[in-house]
């Protein structure tokens, strides 16, 4: 009898998946998000918020969206959490193969082209927007922007994710060539904080990283210490 009741209840559930099931339980995990990277003389500075949402529900408030794919190459992920994690894992695997075959560190451009190949060839099936940033001995610090669809463009700075739509004007007005590491850190932290204030899908804390020939230095700004831009 219990088995019969279970089968009847399951058939009702399968016929109408939305029946008495909250929207956040069936929505995809999205890193819908604010990501950013900027080049400076000695390398790159990049950062992101830490909110992962499932529909309107915040599934994780301390996500790390800055993913290492090689010793001196990172990517900033936005879009579907599952899609971007899978892409980053593939790129890390192929970069390891490339390094073993050539006995040399991969360039940032090669990494960006691997991201482009995966994103473009699977553009109809993936929701992934990537910023590839790193340092190599040929071109120094580099930032490559890969928006939805798989286009790949090197830029002096790049922003992405749902929160980026709120800060294009701020970034265009604030960015200047030849910024120091400290100026770049302030540029990134201020921009991400502004986006987090306006965008409901961005939030949590700010994760920052400085990547140079000496390696990567990570830092965090907790949610109660974010930059503010109004009178208290």
């Amino acid at each position: 009898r219990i088995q019969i009741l279970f089968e009847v209840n399951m058939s009702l559930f399968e016929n109408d998946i939305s029946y008495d099931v909250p929207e956040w339980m069936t929505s995809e995990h999205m890193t819908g998000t604010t990501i950013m990277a900027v080049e400076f003389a000695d390398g790159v500075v990049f950062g992101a918020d830490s909110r992962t949402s499932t529909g309107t529900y915040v599934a994780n408030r301390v996500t790390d969206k800055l993913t290492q794919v090689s010793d001196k190459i990172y990517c900033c992920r936005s879009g579907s959490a599952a899609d971007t994690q899978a892409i980053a894992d593939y790129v890390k695997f192929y970069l390891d193969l490339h390094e073993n075959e050539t006995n040399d560190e991969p360039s940032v451009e090669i990494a960006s082209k691997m991201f482009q190949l995966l994103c473009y060839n699977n553009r109809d099936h993936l929701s992934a927007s990537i910023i590839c940033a790193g340092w190599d001995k040929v071109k120094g610090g580099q930032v490559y922007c890969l928006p939805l669809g798989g286009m790949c463009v090197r830029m002096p700075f790049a922003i992405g994710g749902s929160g980026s739509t709120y800060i294009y004007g701020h970034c265009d007005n604030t960015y200047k060539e030849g910024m120091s590491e400290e100026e770049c850190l302030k540029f990134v932290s201020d921009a991400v904080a502004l986006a987090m204030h306006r965008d409901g899908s961005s939030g949590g804390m700010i994760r920052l990283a400085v990547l140079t020939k000496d390696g990567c230095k990570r830092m965090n700004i907790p949610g109660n210490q974010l930059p503010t831009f109004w009178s208290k």
Side-chain angles (χ1 to χ4, degrees):
R1 183 179 177 183
I2 294 175
Q3 180 66 27
I4 294 173
L5 288 173
F6 176 77
E7 290 175 354
V8 170
N9 289 333
M10 285 304 297
S11 65
L12 289 173
F13 183 77
E14 290 169 357
N15 291 334
D16 185 4
I17 192 67
S18 63
Y19 177 75
D20 205 27
V21 177
E23 176 255 354
W24 57 267
M25 290 186 66
T26 57
S27 297
E28 185 177 12
H29 278 59
M30 304 292 288
T31 61
T33 232
T34 302
I35 54 175
M36 184 173 182
V38 57
E39 300 178 357
F40 71 103
D42 297 324
V44 292
V45 173
F46 49 98
D49 74 306
S50 64
R51 176 173 291 178
T52 294
S53 54
T54 307
T56 57
Y57 174 76
V58 177
N60 189 345
R61 37 191 196 104
V62 288
T63 307
D64 188 359
K65 303 174 186 178
L66 312 179
T67 303
Q68 185 177 22
V69 293
S70 185
D71 284 345
K72 296 173 184 175
I73 304 173
Y74 278 71
C75 71
C76 307
R77 303 179 293 107
S78 68
S80 164
D83 292 349
T84 56
Q85 286 171 357
I87 291 170
D89 287 344
Y90 272 111
V91 171
K92 179 177 173 60
F93 172 76
Y94 286 121
L95 287 178
D96 285 343
L97 283 181
H98 177 79
E99 186 171 357
N100 290 330
E101 290 175 354
T102 62
N103 201 27
D104 195 11
E105 291 182 343
S107 69
V108 186
E109 185 175 9
I110 286 175
S112 69
K113 295 303 180 184
M114 288 185 178
F115 276 112
Q116 181 185 28
L117 187 67
L118 290 167
C119 291
Y120 180 78
N121 288 341
N122 300 281
R123 61 191 181 279
D124 295 329
H125 310 290
L126 299 178
S127 174
S129 176
I130 305 287
I131 295 176
C132 180
W135 182 94
D136 62 53
K137 60 187 177 183
V138 178
K139 296 183 179 180
Q142 300 150 73
V143 171
Y144 292 88
C145 181
L146 295 95
L148 290 172
M151 181 180 71
C152 180
V153 182
R154 182 179 177 182
M155 304 178 71
F157 77 91
I159 55 179
S162 57
S164 66
T165 57
Y166 298 92
I167 57 172
Y168 274 100
H170 167 79
C171 292
D172 289 341
N173 183 60
T174 308
Y175 174 79
K176 60 181 185 289
E177 294 183 359
M179 289 193 295
S180 65
E181 177 183 327
E182 291 73 21
E183 289 175 320
C184 288
L185 281 168
K186 178 172 173 51
F187 177 49
V188 173
S189 60
D190 285 356
V192 175
L194 282 167
M196 290 166 64
H197 179 64
R198 297 292 183 185
D199 178 35
S201 296
S202 300
M205 61 193 292
I206 298 177
R207 296 187 184 273
L208 296 168
V210 180
L211 186 58
T212 64
K213 64 179 180 180
D214 299 320
C216 185
K217 178 174 63 177
R218 299 286 298 261
M219 57 202 78
N220 301 319
I221 303 178
N224 60 352
Q225 298 177 21
L226 297 178
T228 54
F229 308 90
W230 57 87
S231 300
K232 293 186 178 180

